[in-house]
Amino acid sequence: MDNLIIRLVRKHQTNCPFSLACNLNITVMYADLGKITRGFFHRRLRRNYIVLHEALLYNEQRFTCAHELGHYFYDRGTSYFMIEQNTLQLPGKFERRANQFAVRLLCAGSEIYPDETISDICFKNGIPEEMHTFY
């Protein structure tokens, strides 16, 4: 995962998930997704889409976009909703991996000082507090 993120950031000169999505030809769209869903990745007719909840704050949209990029790289051939409803396989592993990808991507290139805690590093990179455990 770290090698993929290093290559991505080096090639595209950014760790911004919106810029990366644009450079990877992934369309980012906004819609009202209800109270539970923050966003999702969808592939249709060889085109890739990330749909984000329009009511999220910018940092939440940024993290969600990075999370969905994790699904793009690691879970492209699977449908999370299909897995959750139709199999006994734990969908939690897909979400954990996407969260870990998002945290590592957003922290890529960030200078870490000796006296900083994980919470400090995540806070300065706009990562939600509940995701600090994935650092």
Side-chain angles (χ1 to χ4, degrees):
M1 183 177 295
D2 290 330
N3 290 334
L4 171 64
I5 291 171
I6 289 168
R7 284 194 322 262
L8 267 175
V9 171
R10 189 174 293 150
K11 180 179 179 181
H12 298 285
Q13 298 294 309
T14 185
N15 72 334
C16 174
F18 297 112
S19 298
L20 289 173
C22 181
N23 292 344
L24 295 167
N25 202 24
I26 300 171
T27 303
V28 178
M29 300 166 39
Y30 300 88
D32 182 5
L33 300 177
K35 294 183 180 185
I36 298 172
T37 308
R38 296 174 141 226
F40 62 89
F41 171 76
H42 184 67
R43 182 171 170 83
R44 175 120 179 142
L45 300 174
R46 292 190 292 168
R47 292 195 174 116
N48 298 304
Y49 302 93
I50 291 176
V51 182
L52 302 174
H53 195 300
E54 63 191 8
L56 294 176
L57 300 173
Y58 176 75
N59 273 347
E60 293 171 327
Q61 287 179 350
R62 186 171 169 260
F63 182 83
T64 304
C65 186
H67 173 96
E68 300 307 331
L69 281 174
H71 287 303
Y72 169 76
F73 286 109
Y74 292 106
D75 309 319
R76 203 177 319 183
T78 61
S79 170
Y80 172 76
F81 297 110
M82 183 279 301
I83 289 171
E84 185 177 34
Q85 294 174 4
N86 298 322
T87 71
L88 297 175
Q89 187 174 6
L90 294 174
K93 78 175 190 176
F94 297 108
E95 294 305 303
R96 281 193 301 277
R97 185 172 47 208
N99 285 336
Q100 188 177 27
F101 178 87
V103 169
R104 289 182 181 187
L105 176 66
L106 295 176
C107 289
S110 177
E111 193 169 340
I112 300 171
Y113 299 103
D115 60 338
E116 279 186 316
T117 65
I118 291 174
S119 294
D120 295 336
I121 295 165
C122 291
F123 179 75
K124 78 177 181 183
N125 288 296
I127 296 168
E129 194 170 325
E130 62 270 13
M131 296 297 147
H132 293 188
T133 58
F134 294 100
Y135 182 78

